[in-house]
Amino acid sequence: MTERPSALQVVNGIDLSGKVCVITGASSGLGRESARALAAAGAYVILAARNTDALAEAEGWVHAEVPHAQTSTVHLDLTSLDSVRAAAMAIHEVTPVVHVLMNNAGVMFTPFGRTHEGFEMQIGTNHFGHFELTRLLVPQLAAAEGARVVILSSGGHVMGDVDFDDPNWEHREYDKFVAYGAAKTANILHATEADRRLRSLGIRSYAVHPGTVATSLARYMSRTDFSQLRQLVATGSATRGEPTDGHLDFVMPEHGAATQVWAAVSPELADRGGVYLEDCAVNDAVAPHACDEQRAADFWTLSEQLCAQ
Ligand SMILES: NC(=O)c1ccc[n+]([C@@H]2O[C@H](COP(=O)([O-])OP(=O)(O)OC[C@H]3O[C@@H](n4cnc5c(N)ncnc54)[C@H](OP(=O)(O)O)[C@@H]3O)[C@@H](O)[C@H]2O)c1
């Protein structure tokens, strides 16, 4: 097996001076690691998340790790579109230009719940909140004349598809595994259509699977959930691959953040977009339901309608 690079190794030799990167969910895990790597490369990093104490702590950690870091923080709760709109305004007050928007925040396997607007919690947090944030930041992204939107998805997108007739689980019994799969499918559909619509503005979009990373994402998982997930992995239902022994191979966040940071900075992606990335490379083994261009276009329209209500 080839050694995975760390996020810091990915930015080695890359100069991001004068660039502005916004990272959602920067208060922990992959978001915090990405903030460290992008700041180390000289970017001005705006850390966004909902818990202001955790955000301040993460910002302090980035400065301790990278003494020359330039950062600021913005409060963002993706379960409220009012909060998303306030965050977009706050970002606008800090900068007229955004070079990288990393839609990283997410929740997984949450018990059934609804956001302020009534979206199911997983798709509401992981997709609809980010959809609205991205839409509001298009002027700043376009001003960069070469911006990237990096959207965290997951190999777990194979566990479920978006039900266009019932995206928010109003007419079905809730299944937290399928709902996470649907939310992560929504992320890939978003990246696919965002790239098609926004590339003429110089904005390219990418979906990322970071691998299986030891972070707090599993906070809602019980022992039974872990066994159930191992079972799904063993049968191939939680991966795109062949059935396996169900072993979950975790990497640490400093390595797990490598692909999303690579998506943000790699010169190899200069003329590409709308692709799914894994292990710092384009990976075309995406479930067909997640990368169909017509479905991506239809889902964009649906997301616009639902976020405008
Ligand atoms: N770890 C993995 O193995 C893995 C695998 C595939 C994909 N991913 C994806 O990677 C991304 C990052 O996850 P992670 O592993 O770094 O997990 P994590 O450590 O739990 O970080 C998630 C971040 O999202 C934030 N967040 C959650 N709900 C939010 C909301 N309503 N508004 C604003 N921020 C919110 C969290 O803040 P709080 O602490 O306040 O909740 C936290 O900062 C997620 O999109 C996840 O789906 C991870």
Side-chain angles (χ1 to χ4, degrees), residues 81 119 123-124 126-132 167-168 299 303 306-307:
L81 294 186
F119 301 135
I123 199 167
N126 296 344
H127 170 67
F128 288 118
H130 281 129
F131 180 85
E132 184 67 357
N168 290 306
F299 186 55
S303 300
L306 293 177
C307 287

Side-chain angles (χ1 to χ4, degrees), residues 126-140:
N126 296 344
H127 170 67
F128 288 118
H130 281 129
F131 180 85
E132 184 67 357
L133 181 68
T134 307
R135 187 183 73 77
L136 292 167
L137 291 180
V138 165
Q140 286 98 308

